[in-house]
Amino acid sequence: MVNTSQITKSQHAVPIIAAAVLFAIFGLGYFVVGFDQGQIFSIFEGQSAYAQMNGVGYMHEYTHDMRHASGFPCH
């Protein structure tokens, strides 16, 4: 008769790289919702990104209601 056993090792730690990636995504989202005034699109469009949509940029208009709901003033 063969007696077999299995050893299971569980690890309850969050990987550092995963936490860093999530923190970076959170930081970018926080910037876009709270503070972006055309900087994101200016990377691709240059100075014309600031001139569109009355000087505030597309991302500002896309996140306008969410910005006010979360307590960021923008006007």
Side-chain angles (χ1 to χ4, degrees):
M1 177 171 10
V2 177
N3 191 2
T4 61
S5 64
Q6 180 178 354
I7 299 173
T8 304
K9 180 181 176 184
S10 82
Q11 197 174 30
H12 295 290
V14 175
I16 299 296
I17 195 84
V21 167
L22 288 175
F23 185 73
I25 291 170
F26 172 77
L28 180 65
Y30 186 77
F31 171 76
V32 166
V33 170
F35 302 104
D36 182 52
Q37 297 288 335
Q39 290 91 348
I40 296 294
F41 281 131
S42 71
I43 295 170
F44 305 106
E45 295 181 4
Q47 287 292 63
S48 66
Y50 297 106
Q52 297 169 359
M53 304 293 278
N54 298 325
V56 294
Y58 284 117
M59 198 57 73
H60 174 90
E61 292 300 321
Y62 292 151
T63 61
H64 188 260
D65 292 336
M66 186 175 11
R67 183 177 287 205
H68 285 297
S70 60
F72 285 101
C74 62
H75 300 278

